[in-house]
Amino acid sequence: MDENTPILQVDGLNTTFYRNGSALAALRDISFSVARGEVLGLVGESGSGKSVTLRSIIGLARRYGDVTGAVRWQGRDLVGMADRALRQIQGREIAMIFQEPMTSLNPLLTVGLQLEETLRAHTDLSRTARRDRATEMLDLVGIPSASQRLKDYPHQFSGGMRQRVMIAIALAANPKLLLADEPTTALDVTIQAQILDLILQLAQDLDMGVLMVTHDLGVVAQTCDNVAVMYAGRIVEQGPVRDVLREPRHPYTVGLMRSVPENLPPRSPLYSIPGVPPGLDALPVGCAFAPRCASCIAPCSQDRPTLSLITEGRQVACFNPIATSQGNAA
Amino acid sequence: MSDVAFSSDRPSFVRKALRKPGLVAGMLIIGFSILLAIFPGLFAPYDPNAIDYNAIRQPPSWSHPFGTDLLGRDSLSRVIWAYQVNMQMAVLGTVFALVTGVIIGALVGYYRGIADMIFGRIVDAVITFPFLVLVIAVVAVLGPGLVNMYIAISVVYWVYYARLMRAEVIAQMGNDYAAAGVVMGYSDRRIIFRHLLPNAITPVIVYWMTDMALVILLGSSLGYLGLGAQPPQAEWGVLIAEGRNFISTAWWLSLMPGLAIVLTGLGFSLLGDGLADLLRPRG
């Protein structure tokens, strides 16, 4: 499963949007890689830049702002690539699914037409072969009586079923990387587990990398191999899921984990990290998390900590990381 | 929550339409108007240009239900033949504006940027002009007549369609299916014309219906002023103008074509309102 040769390598990715003449630093210095069959989770609060990261990789963000840095996809750089060349990769090699299954399908076209549209754009299958493949895909994502449902419109499907259809459309052309933008946020909990299982199963069967954006640490724990925690447009902690969740080093990761209610007696107050994330047009000089941080020390408000390796495979951007149980604070 | 298809027990589009009396009335009026426009010969009792000096300015009677004009021509036949011109006006006076407006609005709404800013200023400029005066100015330059009138109306009217279409496309782009189209690697043309445009066009179609009523009114006004259709062609505005000198003695000359304008305008308005009702609530 782990071949360690990354198919996607993001290196120093910056995305800037402009509003009324002021620059908004949506992403700063994002670097990570995804290997074949690997599931990488991106977690963080709303506005931390998780979705913008996905949209910058696939070429959506550059329509609305400036994207710089490098996104290497199998040796080619996607950031500077012309639209026409990029279209050969979008949907064919890299596919994306969205948060809102209610609006991510065109309400006026049948599900079958939308599936076949992807196949027509990215394969040279004949008409009947496309029909067969569309049926096969619906079947694969677990939609009963697939061949009849091809003729149905999106409004005739429930939310969970629509997300399955979206997955079928995204995977129709056999992409090697799936970008999943909070694929289960809009679904109820039982359906959520089904959809996650489906994505994991398909990733394994098709040997496909998955970049999963979520704000739900439970989802990360269940599904991801590695995780990157984002705050105010930067990655603050990165590493294998088990290590990060067992021994979080960045105070923000600790705060996120404490915010998940677990084994609490009824009616006890819920924990939340004090304060709010900074606005992208007014980021603090030092560490962006310093104003909300309990273990903030003197340099935090003057300098920005860089993301650096602390132990094998673990990276943290913090001057005063949380001590591990072994007590070897860096 | 099972996934049974519930299409079968949803009332069909036609059945829902038939339950709205306003819409049905509108469809009947416009349907009949179209019939009159296509086959005026079948409905008109006389030749609209046949002059009869023995029956000049006769009040409505059984043989001439709408009376006759100052040359003894049958008013009913002239009003019926005018349907041809006025319904043609409703279509040709709007369709060029509709098509260019929809295309430009969709493109500008999709690409935004500089083009959108230029578009905004053009819209502002056109909309600040008093519309009738602008059309009269264009007709005055190009000369009176139906074709020039269509050109004049289209030059002005496309901005209204474009503005509406632009706003609707921008709203539709808030839905993920537009972004999904980009991410699937579809061409811009495909996203705009196959995905965004069909989803955004409903309010434009509704506006088109009411616009046809407005264009008939405008065309009649220009005909009345001598800038649109030219006599002896039967056109409601022209007919009203012909009767205006005899309004106290031969009131039917102006009243009957006026009623035809009112009725057709009402038909288009009812149709537009009904369609808006029918198409707007969607899930």
XYZ file of all heavy atoms in Angstrom, chain B residues 15-80:
512
model
N -50.386 18.940 -16.055
C -51.511 18.955 -15.127
C -51.401 20.114 -14.147
O -52.384 20.750 -13.790
C -51.569 17.629 -14.350
C -51.963 16.455 -15.197
C -53.148 15.641 -14.669
N -53.191 15.414 -13.234
C -52.763 14.307 -12.639
N -52.212 13.349 -13.351
N -52.910 14.158 -11.356
N -50.154 20.393 -13.718
C -49.964 21.518 -12.807
C -50.296 22.835 -13.493
O -50.868 23.736 -12.895
C -48.514 21.548 -12.287
C -48.347 20.811 -10.992
C -47.106 21.204 -10.198
C -45.842 21.344 -11.001
N -44.614 21.189 -10.212
N -49.931 22.923 -14.778
C -50.193 24.146 -15.533
C -51.697 24.368 -15.674
O -52.199 25.486 -15.547
C -49.536 24.057 -16.905
N -52.442 23.268 -15.919
C -53.881 23.394 -16.157
C -54.630 23.805 -14.899
O -55.785 24.204 -14.967
C -54.442 22.073 -16.700
C -53.998 21.749 -18.127
C -54.590 20.435 -18.596
C -54.382 22.876 -19.080
N -53.981 23.679 -13.724
C -54.645 24.038 -12.484
C -54.564 25.534 -12.200
O -55.082 26.010 -11.204
C -54.030 23.234 -11.331
C -55.081 22.442 -10.556
C -54.417 21.617 -9.477
N -53.952 20.342 -9.998
C -52.948 19.643 -9.460
N -52.292 20.139 -8.435
N -52.601 18.489 -9.950
N -53.856 26.285 -13.051
C -53.713 27.717 -12.827
C -54.571 28.485 -13.830
O -54.221 28.557 -15.006
C -52.253 28.132 -12.968
C -51.369 27.474 -11.924
C -49.971 28.040 -11.946
C -49.030 27.264 -11.054
N -49.459 27.155 -9.659
N -55.704 29.058 -13.372
C -56.638 29.692 -14.315
C -55.997 30.834 -15.093
O -56.259 30.993 -16.286
C -57.778 30.189 -13.407
C -57.296 30.068 -12.015
C -56.180 29.089 -11.992
N -55.152 31.636 -14.421
C -54.510 32.750 -15.119
C -53.665 32.259 -16.272
O -53.722 32.787 -17.390
N -52.913 31.218 -16.005
C -52.031 30.673 -17.036
C -52.842 30.091 -18.194
O -52.511 30.301 -19.367
C -51.130 29.600 -16.417
C -50.114 28.941 -17.355
C -49.164 29.976 -17.918
C -49.337 27.865 -16.620
N -53.936 29.396 -17.839
C -54.769 28.809 -18.882
C -55.366 29.920 -19.760
O -55.344 29.840 -20.993
C -55.889 27.944 -18.260
C -56.873 27.495 -19.324
C -55.281 26.747 -17.555
N -55.871 30.986 -19.100
C -56.437 32.107 -19.859
C -55.382 32.712 -20.783
O -55.641 32.971 -21.966
C -56.980 33.168 -18.900
N -54.183 32.898 -20.239
C -53.096 33.446 -21.040
C -52.780 32.577 -22.231
O -52.606 33.068 -23.355
N -52.731 31.261 -21.995
C -52.409 30.344 -23.096
C -53.507 30.378 -24.165
O -53.214 30.351 -25.355
C -52.234 28.917 -22.561
C -50.928 28.719 -21.805
S -50.508 26.988 -21.488
C -51.839 26.471 -20.431
N -54.781 30.461 -23.716
C -55.889 30.504 -24.684
C -55.796 31.766 -25.529
O -55.907 31.720 -26.761
C -57.235 30.451 -23.951
C -57.609 29.070 -23.386
C -58.927 29.149 -22.617
C -57.702 28.045 -24.505
N -55.598 32.914 -24.862
C -55.541 34.183 -25.592
C -54.393 34.178 -26.590
O -54.558 34.499 -27.771
C -55.384 35.368 -24.608
C -56.632 35.506 -23.734
C -55.121 36.665 -25.376
C -56.493 36.523 -22.613
N -53.201 33.777 -26.112
C -52.035 33.818 -26.995
C -52.143 32.752 -28.086
O -51.807 32.992 -29.246
C -50.728 33.653 -26.181
C -50.578 34.824 -25.199
C -49.515 33.582 -27.091
C -50.694 36.193 -25.835
N -52.686 31.585 -27.710
C -52.887 30.539 -28.710
C -53.791 31.020 -29.833
O -53.480 30.866 -31.023
N -54.896 31.656 -29.444
C -55.840 32.166 -30.448
C -55.195 33.292 -31.261
O -55.383 33.371 -32.485
C -57.115 32.643 -29.743
C -58.234 32.957 -30.702
C -58.697 31.994 -31.585
C -58.827 34.213 -30.711
C -59.727 32.280 -32.472
C -59.847 34.498 -31.593
C -60.310 33.541 -32.474
N -54.426 34.143 -30.578
C -53.752 35.234 -31.283
C -52.796 34.687 -32.334
O -52.709 35.221 -33.453
C -52.955 36.104 -30.307
O -53.804 36.610 -29.310
N -52.111 33.593 -31.994
C -51.168 33.004 -32.948
C -51.922 32.445 -34.151
O -51.530 32.640 -35.304
C -50.326 31.907 -32.257
C -49.386 32.545 -31.221
C -49.518 31.112 -33.273
C -48.671 31.557 -30.335
N -53.063 31.801 -33.859
C -53.895 31.285 -34.951
C -54.309 32.413 -35.887
O -54.194 32.301 -37.118
C -55.158 30.629 -34.382
C -55.068 29.149 -34.035
C -56.437 28.661 -33.543
C -54.640 28.352 -35.265
N -54.800 33.526 -35.294
C -55.234 34.665 -36.104
C -54.070 35.209 -36.929
O -54.241 35.619 -38.081
C -55.781 35.784 -35.205
C -57.138 35.530 -34.563
C -57.502 36.669 -33.620
C -58.219 35.355 -35.613
N -52.873 35.199 -36.327
C -51.715 35.754 -37.011
C -51.292 34.875 -38.181
O -50.870 35.369 -39.222
C -50.564 35.919 -36.028
N -51.439 33.547 -38.002
C -50.974 32.649 -39.068
C -52.019 32.510 -40.172
O -51.698 32.503 -41.363
C -50.631 31.265 -38.471
C -49.479 31.395 -37.465
C -50.227 30.295 -39.578
C -49.137 30.109 -36.756
N -53.292 32.421 -39.783
C -54.353 32.241 -40.781
C -55.372 33.379 -40.723
O -56.552 33.144 -40.466
C -55.102 30.918 -40.545
C -54.205 29.728 -40.429
C -54.011 29.092 -39.217
C -53.545 29.225 -41.566
C -53.184 27.987 -39.114
C -52.717 28.124 -41.463
C -52.531 27.494 -40.234
N -54.962 34.626 -40.992
C -55.943 35.714 -40.894
C -57.061 35.538 -41.918
O -58.213 35.867 -41.643
C -55.108 36.964 -41.169
C -53.893 36.489 -41.864
C -53.629 35.095 -41.399
N -56.709 34.966 -43.064
C -57.702 34.789 -44.128
C -58.864 33.911 -43.711
O -59.988 34.083 -44.172
N -58.595 32.972 -42.831
C -59.650 32.051 -42.403
C -60.672 32.741 -41.502
O -61.831 32.359 -41.444
C -59.039 30.884 -41.622
C -58.342 29.801 -42.432
C -57.861 28.692 -41.497
C -59.314 29.229 -43.453
N -60.198 33.739 -40.751
C -61.067 34.351 -39.745
C -61.676 35.673 -40.209
O -62.757 36.037 -39.782
C -60.286 34.576 -38.449
C -59.838 33.303 -37.792
C -58.581 32.762 -38.053
C -60.685 32.619 -36.931
C -58.182 31.581 -37.457
C -60.287 31.436 -36.328
C -59.030 30.906 -36.593
N -60.950 36.390 -41.061
C -61.436 37.710 -41.470
C -62.585 37.560 -42.462
O -62.461 36.837 -43.450
C -60.294 38.499 -42.096
N -63.705 38.236 -42.206
C -64.864 38.093 -43.102
C -64.655 38.783 -44.455
O -65.270 38.395 -45.440
C -66.007 38.735 -42.319
C -65.367 39.603 -41.286
C -64.026 39.024 -40.992
N -63.809 39.825 -44.497
C -63.608 40.556 -45.751
C -62.126 40.676 -46.051
O -61.280 40.443 -45.188
C -64.194 41.975 -45.655
C -65.681 42.015 -45.378
C -66.164 42.065 -44.073
C -66.599 42.021 -46.430
C -67.506 42.103 -43.805
C -67.962 42.069 -46.178
C -68.417 42.104 -44.857
O -69.747 42.151 -44.607
N -61.833 41.104 -47.283
C -60.478 41.499 -47.642
C -60.160 42.796 -46.883
O -60.940 43.750 -46.942
C -60.424 41.733 -49.161
C -59.027 42.180 -49.609
O -58.253 42.666 -48.772
O -58.751 42.035 -50.813
N -59.055 42.842 -46.145
C -58.797 44.011 -45.300
C -58.560 45.291 -46.102
O -58.667 46.395 -45.566
C -57.530 43.617 -44.537
C -56.869 42.608 -45.405
C -57.977 41.841 -46.064
N -58.234 45.138 -47.382
C -57.957 46.334 -48.174
C -59.050 46.632 -49.192
O -58.907 47.548 -50.004
C -56.616 46.180 -48.891
C -55.468 46.109 -47.893
O -55.428 46.869 -46.931
N -54.569 45.161 -48.100
N -60.133 45.847 -49.128
C -61.223 46.064 -50.095
C -61.968 47.349 -49.739
O -62.521 47.491 -48.644
C -62.177 44.871 -50.090
N -61.977 48.288 -50.667
C -62.618 49.578 -50.414
C -64.072 49.513 -50.892
O -64.363 48.985 -51.961
C -61.847 50.687 -51.159
C -60.433 50.786 -50.549
C -62.591 52.005 -51.093
C -59.489 51.629 -51.359
N -64.976 50.006 -50.024
C -66.401 49.984 -50.380
C -66.974 51.365 -50.094
O -67.253 51.712 -48.949
C -67.108 48.896 -49.554
C -68.598 48.830 -49.884
O -69.060 49.633 -50.738
O -69.282 48.000 -49.259
N -67.134 52.173 -51.147
C -67.594 53.560 -50.951
C -69.057 53.641 -50.541
O -69.538 54.683 -50.145
C -67.325 54.402 -52.205
C -65.843 54.655 -52.391
C -65.143 54.136 -53.461
C -65.159 55.425 -51.448
C -63.780 54.355 -53.610
C -63.801 55.648 -51.584
C -63.111 55.126 -52.666
O -61.785 55.350 -52.781
N -69.762 52.505 -50.629
C -71.155 52.513 -50.197
C -71.291 52.283 -48.706
O -72.395 52.336 -48.177
C -71.939 51.422 -50.936
C -71.976 51.728 -52.414
O -72.088 52.886 -52.817
N -71.833 50.683 -53.229
N -70.181 51.940 -48.048
C -70.272 51.647 -46.604
C -69.146 52.360 -45.882
O -68.259 51.743 -45.311
C -70.220 50.137 -46.370
N -69.113 53.674 -45.934
C -68.049 54.444 -45.282
C -68.436 54.789 -43.853
O -69.551 55.239 -43.593
C -67.765 55.726 -46.102
C -67.049 55.327 -47.392
C -66.954 56.724 -45.314
C -66.844 56.464 -48.349
N -67.474 54.549 -42.926
C -67.628 54.886 -41.507
C -68.961 54.415 -40.943
O -69.692 55.175 -40.315
C -67.473 56.390 -41.299
C -66.018 56.740 -40.998
C -65.887 58.169 -40.572
N -65.900 59.069 -41.711
C -66.404 60.302 -41.681
N -66.939 60.769 -40.579
N -66.371 61.059 -42.753
N -69.260 53.149 -41.183
C -70.486 52.588 -40.630
C -70.245 52.109 -39.208
O -69.199 51.532 -38.929
C -70.911 51.393 -41.482
C -71.197 51.795 -42.907
C -72.492 51.225 -43.401
O -72.826 50.101 -43.081
N -73.211 51.994 -44.186
N -71.178 52.368 -38.295
C -71.006 51.855 -36.929
C -71.117 50.331 -36.922
O -71.581 49.744 -37.904
C -72.168 52.497 -36.163
C -73.161 52.861 -37.202
C -72.420 53.122 -38.467
N -70.654 49.694 -35.834
C -70.717 48.227 -35.745
C -72.125 47.719 -36.042
O -73.111 48.274 -35.552
C -70.312 47.940 -34.300
C -69.459 49.095 -33.911
C -69.989 50.272 -34.646
N -72.200 46.686 -36.870
C -73.485 46.087 -37.209
C -73.248 44.595 -37.402
O -72.117 44.125 -37.262
C -74.004 46.706 -38.511
O -73.099 46.390 -39.559
N -74.281 43.830 -37.775
C -74.108 42.392 -37.947
C -73.191 42.084 -39.116
O -72.393 41.166 -39.053
C -75.451 41.685 -38.122
C -76.154 41.529 -36.809
C -77.329 42.118 -36.461
C -75.703 40.779 -35.675
N -77.651 41.787 -35.162
C -76.668 40.956 -34.647
C -74.599 39.989 -35.408
C -76.547 40.363 -33.400
C -74.491 39.404 -34.172
C -75.461 39.588 -33.175
N -73.282 42.880 -40.180
C -72.434 42.592 -41.339
C -71.008 43.107 -41.130
O -70.063 42.574 -41.690
C -73.038 43.176 -42.615
O -73.323 44.548 -42.421
N -70.854 44.174 -40.340
C -69.522 44.685 -40.001
C -69.438 44.835 -38.480
O -69.672 45.929 -37.956
C -69.274 46.052 -40.657
C -69.273 45.997 -42.148
N -68.228 45.460 -42.868
C -70.188 46.404 -43.052
C -68.490 45.537 -44.162
N -69.686 46.096 -44.309
N -69.075 43.755 -37.751
C -69.137 43.791 -36.279
C -68.309 44.909 -35.654
O -68.649 45.418 -34.594
C -68.587 42.423 -35.861
C -68.753 41.562 -37.057
C -68.627 42.445 -38.248
N -67.177 45.293 -36.284
C -66.346 46.363 -35.739
C -66.540 47.659 -36.516
O -65.762 48.596 -36.392
C -64.852 45.982 -35.788
C -64.433 44.999 -34.717
C -65.360 44.316 -33.942
C -63.088 44.772 -34.479
C -64.968 43.413 -32.969
C -62.684 43.874 -33.498
C -63.624 43.190 -32.753
N -67.559 47.701 -37.379
C -67.781 48.884 -38.182
C -66.855 48.939 -39.396
O -66.122 47.990 -39.685
N -66.892 50.081 -40.119
C -66.010 50.262 -41.266
C -65.291 51.594 -41.128
O -65.703 52.463 -40.369
C -66.802 50.263 -42.597
O -67.725 51.349 -42.550
C -67.535 48.963 -42.810
N -64.185 51.723 -41.899
C -63.395 52.947 -41.776
C -63.764 53.957 -42.849
O -64.743 53.788 -43.578
C -61.901 52.638 -41.744
C -61.391 52.122 -43.077
O -62.179 52.082 -44.059
O -60.203 51.750 -43.155
N -62.935 54.997 -42.980
C -63.340 56.090 -43.863
C -63.248 55.740 -45.339
O -63.689 56.502 -46.194
C -62.538 57.357 -43.561
C -61.018 57.307 -43.697
C -60.468 58.730 -43.739
C -60.392 56.562 -42.543
N -62.676 54.569 -45.658
C -62.690 54.113 -47.042
C -63.656 52.950 -47.213
O -63.659 52.281 -48.238
C -61.291 53.682 -47.478
C -60.249 54.804 -47.515
C -58.876 54.242 -47.835
C -60.640 55.865 -48.528
N -64.416 52.666 -46.165
C -65.389 51.583 -46.234
C -64.770 50.204 -46.034
O -65.393 49.185 -46.290
N -63.487 50.136 -45.567
C -62.868 48.829 -45.306
C -63.407 48.279 -43.980
O -63.658 49.028 -43.045
C -61.341 48.970 -45.239
C -60.761 49.382 -46.572
C -59.269 49.660 -46.462
N -58.998 50.824 -45.640
C -57.811 51.437 -45.598
N -56.809 50.983 -46.319
N -57.627 52.489 -44.839
N -63.529 46.961 -43.917
C -64.099 46.324 -42.733
C -63.095 46.351 -41.580
O -62.000 45.795 -41.674
C -64.474 44.869 -43.070
C -65.037 44.146 -41.854
O -65.967 44.678 -41.235
O -64.516 43.061 -41.520
N -63.451 46.998 -40.468
C -62.522 47.165 -39.352
C -62.125 45.833 -38.723
O -60.961 45.629 -38.365
C -63.143 48.047 -38.263
O -63.053 49.383 -38.640
N -63.101 44.916 -38.587
C -62.795 43.622 -37.997
C -61.712 42.919 -38.811
O -60.722 42.402 -38.255
C -64.052 42.757 -37.917
C -63.829 41.325 -37.416
C -63.289 41.330 -35.993
C -65.117 40.509 -37.480
N -61.864 42.915 -40.137
C -60.872 42.254 -40.977
C -59.512 42.913 -40.842
O -58.475 42.247 -40.803
C -61.305 42.283 -42.442
O -62.573 41.704 -42.553
N -59.509 44.248 -40.723
C -58.226 44.943 -40.594
C -57.576 44.646 -39.249
O -56.368 44.444 -39.168
C -58.413 46.455 -40.803
C -58.683 46.774 -42.277
C -58.815 48.235 -42.575
N -57.584 49.028 -42.417
C -56.542 48.963 -43.226
N -56.532 48.112 -44.242
N -55.498 49.730 -43.025
N -58.380 44.599 -38.190
C -57.818 44.256 -36.874
C -57.253 42.834 -36.904
O -56.173 42.556 -36.378
C -58.882 44.411 -35.769
C -58.417 43.769 -34.460
C -59.202 45.881 -35.538
N -57.980 41.915 -37.581
C -57.501 40.528 -37.640
C -56.211 40.425 -38.453
O -55.248 39.778 -38.048
C -58.603 39.608 -38.216
C -59.726 39.446 -37.177
C -58.017 38.246 -38.584
C -60.898 38.640 -37.669
